[in-house]
Amino acid sequence: PLTPSHGAFLPVGRAKTMETDGAREERRRQAELRAAAAERRMRQQAPPSPSRAEGGADPQSKPGAARVGTWEAMNEKVLREVFTLLFGGSNVSKAIVTQWTSQGLLLGRDDSFKHILLQLQGGPCGVLAPVQAFLVKHLVFKTDFGGDLRSVTSGDITRALKAALCETLWRAGDYEGGCLVRLSSPDWVARVKAGVDLLGDTCDLDGLVPCVLGSLRIKRFSGRLDFLEALGEALEDLRTDLGVLLVLLSILTTRGNERIQGDRDDPTQPLITTPFGHASQEVVNLFLCGKAATNVFDGDMEVGGDYRLRGISSRTQVGFLTLLESHNYLTVGSFLKEPEYPVWVLGSDSHYTVLFSMDRAAQEEPERVRREKGVRKVFDEFDKSGGGGFIERGDLAAVLSKARCAEGVLGDLGMQDVVTWHDLWARVSKSEFGEEEAAQAERTLQLYHVNGIAKSLGEEEAKPSLKAVTITLTKAMQALPAEDVALAIDRACASEATAGKAQWCPLVDCIRTRWKQAECHWVGDAPSMV
């Protein structure tokens, strides 16, 4: 499950850097696609080299799990390495291994759910939800999307799934290459599952590795278009009960053990957590940003000596929000909270789901909100209270200067020993926006929540959940300081005048970590994050 150790309390980083890194990543990705296309054309025109024609290894093979261009059996050394990363070296739970060897990339059958990855086992949502998020990105944000997910074809979904997997794996390889893990043959699924069934309640790697040894093959790719084509050929394997494990092994071998351990705060902990077998935040981050970072704040945080906590280095394509932030356990930084596309993986204390909008304008914010975030970022740089929301009087002039506030804002704030964020923003807001803040137009956003867990309703076939959620940023709420919004909404919901208007469930608290002013509405049962 998600725990407070997977985050930290203070986001760091600058909005300017966020946008620059996002643009740089897009340029780099386009350049890679053009280079891959040129590489493929040259390869098709050139005669095969003697070594490749005779079945020899690529002369440019790199050391690691596999040589470039060659399918090889995943050997015992590599299996032990990746299983140690995933489960630890000893006391591996049979129940957890069973969860991760019983889940494929399966899509819903109903037209309303044909683009949703189904979750049949507890645990693998930490892989399924990020892949689902990128699948939505590649379905919705393309030039020929008609605005209705029910109209997409099976071919559209297959292409989007291939693109989602390719994007996440290629990023994990720093855009230089990727590894793909496949079954040696289809009959190995039953053999692996039979071997796992014979394990005791707990085992070590000496018991686990023989169950899988011989069942997997691996190949390293140096061209992105070849990799994308190979992923299409591998989809049949990925639909089997070992499918999610194959995806996870592919991204781990692509990133490599050394880089993964360097990404993490504590390399001694397994990536699959006990006792329930959930994927850690590091697994989710590996899919979202290409690095197995432990935390969700922007950048790295120095904590003394040579030790630092590792966070998110640049703006992501798909983001992350968590219910734990509403409980003040951690703060998600802007790189994940405000991604390039309005698609987010959502974390609760035990499950990952997906939230998205079909309109990129959902990321747009009023000038006042952008200004508040900018001033708050400067304020936090001088907040020595560990997120308590106040600064010392001696730092006030520096904060106002760096935030480019007018000279008249200081007023009697300079007479206080400590200055709270609430007092400072109230003064800045009044100075820059006057008394007409409440006149801002009401804004409505349409979001969709996806929960891939297939739940049975009576005698009906088990189905996932796709729920439309309308959020309204009201005039009154947009005029309030951020800290007062949740309290004001709760009071409004309790009043007779607005009874039944705004609805609540845990998802609402998660949404308010992104849009603090949100009132939420849906039809029927409340969307579930578990």
Side-chain angles (χ1 to χ4, degrees):
L2 294 173
T3 63
S5 65
H6 295 143
F9 293 86
L10 288 178
V12 296
R14 295 184 297 277
K16 182 177 180 181
T17 302
M18 174 182 69
E19 294 180 1
T20 301
D21 288 343
R24 184 182 301 115
E25 182 182 25
E26 180 64 23
R27 289 195 299 271
R28 185 178 184 181
R29 184 165 54 254
Q30 293 299 326
E32 171 65 28
L33 285 173
R34 290 193 297 270
E39 171 195 29
R40 189 169 184 176
R41 288 194 299 269
M42 293 173 63
R43 192 163 56 247
Q44 289 172 342
Q45 295 171 1
S49 64
S51 61
R52 297 297 296 276
E54 297 169 6
D58 189 324
Q60 295 182 1
S61 295
K62 299 179 182 178
R67 290 174 294 181
V68 175
T70 304
W71 282 108
E72 299 177 346
M74 184 175 279
N75 60 44
E76 182 175 352
K77 178 183 177 182
V78 176
L79 279 174
R80 284 183 172 273
E81 193 173 80
V82 294
F83 281 163
T84 300
L85 271 175
L86 289 175
F87 305 113
S90 60
N91 296 321
V92 180
S93 166
K94 174 183 175 179
I96 292 177
V97 175
T98 300
Q99 289 175 358
W100 286 87
T101 52
S102 304
Q103 177 69 61
L105 295 185
L106 304 175
L107 292 161
R109 298 178 181 177
D110 191 297
D111 276 351
S112 299
F113 309 120
K114 60 187 177 182
H115 60 283
I116 295 179
L117 293 170
L118 304 181
Q119 181 179 346
L120 307 177
Q121 296 288 329
C125 56
V127 173
L128 290 171
V131 174
Q132 176 71 72
F134 282 99
L135 170 60
V136 168
K137 173 201 162 183
H138 285 281
L139 267 182
V140 172
F141 298 103
K142 60 177 186 175
T143 55
D144 58 346
F145 177 64
D148 185 357
L149 283 170
R150 291 173 298 182
S151 68
V152 299
T153 66
S154 59
D156 293 332
I157 296 170
T158 298
R159 284 188 290 273
L161 179 57
K162 288 165 49 181
L165 293 170
C166 184
E167 178 180 354
T168 54
L169 295 176
W170 205 254
R171 183 184 297 110
D174 290 338
Y175 302 97
E176 296 175 350
C179 287
L180 182 57
V181 178
R182 292 192 60 179
L183 296 171
S184 297
S185 64
D187 62 336
W188 269 104
V189 176
R191 295 167 67 177
V192 170
K193 292 174 71 68
V196 172
D197 285 342
L198 295 176
L199 295 174
D201 290 341
T202 60
C203 65
D204 56 19
L205 294 185
D206 290 335
L208 177 59
V209 169
C211 296
V212 185
L213 189 62
S215 66
L216 306 177
R217 53 189 174 126
I218 185 172
K219 182 176 179 179
R220 182 180 296 276
F221 294 81
S222 60
R224 187 166 182 169
L225 294 183
D226 286 342
F227 191 49
L228 181 64
E229 182 178 344
L231 282 166
E233 297 169 355
L235 287 181
E236 184 175 351
D237 287 355
L238 302 184
R239 295 186 184 104
T240 70
D241 280 357
L242 297 185
V244 166
L245 181 62
L246 293 176
V247 173
L248 187 52
L249 294 179
S250 295
I251 200 168
L252 293 179
T253 51
T254 293
R255 185 70 183 157
N257 183 70
E258 183 176 346
R259 284 190 292 188
I260 288 174
Q261 298 296 55
D263 294 337
R264 308 171 67 200
D265 290 349
D266 185 357
T268 65
Q269 297 299 312
L271 294 174
I272 306 300
T273 63
T274 56
F276 302 112
H278 297 142
S280 66
Q281 185 68 49
E282 293 158 325
V283 172
V284 175
N285 285 347
L286 182 57
F287 279 89
L288 294 181
C289 70
K291 297 180 181 179
T294 304
N295 306 287
V296 293
F297 49 72
D298 293 348
D300 293 345
M301 183 180 295
E302 302 292 340
V303 292
D306 295 330
Y307 190 72
R308 62 178 179 172
L309 302 176
R310 291 162 176 82
I312 308 302
S313 60
S314 63
R315 189 184 191 188
T316 55
Q317 293 285 296
V318 165
F320 179 77
L321 304 174
T322 174
L323 189 61
L324 296 184
E325 181 169 352
S326 69
H327 301 321
N328 294 319
Y329 284 134
L330 53 84
T331 298
V332 178
S334 61
F335 290 156
L336 285 172
K337 191 172 287 183
E338 302 171 14
E340 185 70 24
Y341 293 88
V343 185
W344 295 266
V345 173
L346 305 185
S348 68
D349 58 351
S350 61
H351 188 43
Y352 295 102
T353 56
V354 173
L355 183 74
F356 69 95
S357 171
M358 297 188 194
D359 185 1
R360 293 190 71 172
Q363 294 285 65
E364 297 176 359
E365 293 177 317
E367 174 60 28
R368 180 190 176 279
V369 175
R370 295 196 299 271
R371 177 59 169 155
E372 181 182 2
K373 289 182 177 180
V375 177
R376 183 60 191 257
K377 193 175 291 290
V378 174
F379 184 92
D380 286 342
E381 293 178 14
F382 291 84
D383 184 354
K384 303 181 180 67
S385 65
F390 60 86
I391 59 174
E392 298 176 359
R393 178 172 57 185
D395 293 325
L396 179 59
V399 169
L400 295 177
S401 174
K402 189 169 184 179
R404 298 182 179 180
C405 298
E407 296 180 1
V409 171
L410 183 60
D412 58 2
L413 290 178
M415 304 298 293
Q416 303 176 20
D417 291 334
V418 295
V419 178
T420 66
W421 164 250
H422 182 281
D423 289 343
L424 177 62
W425 176 243
R427 186 65 61 85
V428 173
S429 177
K430 182 177 180 180
S431 171
E432 298 185 4
F433 298 94
E435 302 289 350
E436 298 183 358
E437 294 170 299
Q440 297 181 59
E442 189 171 87
R443 185 180 178 213
T444 300
L445 304 176
Q446 184 64 61
L447 304 177
Y448 299 87
H449 179 251
V450 177
N451 188 341
I453 286 186
K455 297 181 179 180
S456 178
L457 302 175
E459 296 181 356
E460 296 183 10
E461 182 182 358
K463 295 179 180 179
S465 170
L466 174 62
K467 197 77 174 180
V469 179
T470 302
I471 69 171
T472 303
L473 310 182
T474 65
K475 300 175 184 178
M477 296 306 169
Q478 292 188 65
L480 286 172
E483 287 86 342
D484 293 345
V485 169
L487 178 60
I489 293 176
D490 291 339
R491 289 175 177 172
C493 294
S495 70
E496 295 182 3
T498 58
K501 180 182 178 183
Q503 295 168 284
W504 182 89
C505 66
L507 175 64
V508 175
D509 289 341
C510 191
I511 287 174
R512 287 179 187 163
T513 65
R514 173 62 180 86
W515 295 278
K516 297 185 184 297
Q517 307 92 348
E519 288 184 0
C520 297
H521 314 265
W522 56 83
V523 176
D525 295 335
S528 173
M529 294 185 68
V530 297

